[in-house]
């Protein structure tokens, strides 16, 4: 008879659900280190083995990355995002850029048709935050601000499937953007996103699509 994997305890499932909620809610952002095993034992009031089992399960599902000697880090916010990260981590950067260009151009075209006034105002705010991050010279802050801006454009498309797919690819896209930016923000690499926001505000679908589609291609031209 084939061997079956041991059944997880109900308590372990509860701990998995609790830790997963911390990840999905953003309480533990992607890239951050989660509390140590002893800290989780104290917080959750369960045995160390139960915490260890939960962490291993979430690592197996692609949400956590266990790094010996360093700690455990958030890798993705959903199981699918974890799969995406493992599947495309070694992909050709130009192929990733082409996919991003296609998704963002489609989303920008739809956003120009469907955006609300509130969403346009949010894009203005996030664009200003992106520019401030660039001016600060902080690479990680800029990458996060840029990714947040583009996610807002995607959401303004009001296409739930497109938004979910892009969100699940978020870890992969951030990793490639971070690699592309390098260790410093160079003036010659700055891409003006103001025209994209203006096109979405004006309902200019073609300009919005052309602007959004050009950014990723420029990075890997």
């Amino acid at each position: 008879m084939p061997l079956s994997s041991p059944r997880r305890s109900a308590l372990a499932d509860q701990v998995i659900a609790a830790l997963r909620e911390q990840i999905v809610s953003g309480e533990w952002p992607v890239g951050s280190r989660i509390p140590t095993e002893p800290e989780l034992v104290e917080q959750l009031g369960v045995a160390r083995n139960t915490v260890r089992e939960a962490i291993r399960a979430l690592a197996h599902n692609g949400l956590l990355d266990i790094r010996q000697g360093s700690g455990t880090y958030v890798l993705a916010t959903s199981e699918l995002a974890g799969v995406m990260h493992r599947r495309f981590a070694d992909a050709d950067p130009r192929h990733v850029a082409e996919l991003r260009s296609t998704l963002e151009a489609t989303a920008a075209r739809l956003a120009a048709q469907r955006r609300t006034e509130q969403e346009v105002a949010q894009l203005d705010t996030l664009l200003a935050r992106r520019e401030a991050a660039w001016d600060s010279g902080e690479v990680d802050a800029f990458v996060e601000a840029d990714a947040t801006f583009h996610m807002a454009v995607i959401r303004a498309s009001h296409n739930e499937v497109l938004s979910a797919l892009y969100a699940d690819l978020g870890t992969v896209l951030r990793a490639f953007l971070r690699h592309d930016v390098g260790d410093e923000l160079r003036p010659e690499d700055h891409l003006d996103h103001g025209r994209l926001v203006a096109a979405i505000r004006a309902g200019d679908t073609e300009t919005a699509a052309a602007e959004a589609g050009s950014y990723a291609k420029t990075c890997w031209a």
Side-chain angles (χ1 to χ4, degrees), residues 23 31 46 48 73 75 89 112 130 136 148-149 158-159 175 199 215 219:
I23 297 169
V46 296
R48 182 184 291 259
Y73 294 79
L75 187 62
R130 178 183 183 273
S136 75
T148 301
F149 171 84
H158 292 268
N159 183 312
Y215 300 142
C219 290

Side-chain angles (χ1 to χ4, degrees), residues 71-204:
T72 300
Y73 294 79
V74 178
L75 187 62
T77 56
S78 74
E79 284 77 2
L80 181 55
V83 171
M84 294 278 199
H85 183 272
R86 290 196 299 268
R87 174 64 180 83
F88 298 118
D90 298 322
D92 186 323
R94 285 180 173 79
H95 294 171
V96 175
E98 289 166 358
L99 174 61
R100 179 185 171 192
S101 175
T102 300
L103 294 177
E104 293 188 3
T106 299
R109 178 180 284 107
L110 293 174
Q113 296 173 341
R114 303 172 178 174
R115 89 294 182 276
T116 65
E117 292 302 320
Q118 183 178 1
E119 286 167 339
V120 172
Q122 182 189 33
L123 289 177
D124 285 333
T125 298
L126 294 177
L127 178 63
R129 190 175 300 167
R130 178 183 183 273
E131 292 303 304
W134 177 273
D135 292 339
S136 75
E138 294 291 332
V139 174
D140 290 335
F142 171 73
V143 169
E144 185 60 31
D146 183 72
T148 301
F149 171 84
H150 284 285
M151 189 68 236
V153 173
I154 298 289
R155 290 197 178 105
S157 72
H158 292 268
N159 183 312
E160 293 183 4
V161 176
L162 180 58
S163 295
L165 176 60
Y166 192 89
D168 285 329
L169 279 167
T171 305
V172 176
L173 299 179
R174 276 180 171 83
F176 277 91
L177 176 60
R178 181 64 182 81
H179 179 271
D180 180 55
V181 170
D183 295 328
E184 64 176 315
L185 302 175
R186 299 177 295 272
E188 63 270 21
D189 293 334
H190 182 265
L191 296 175
D192 178 19
H193 285 20
R195 291 188 297 272
L196 171 58
V197 176
I200 291 174
R201 174 182 284 108
D204 185 344

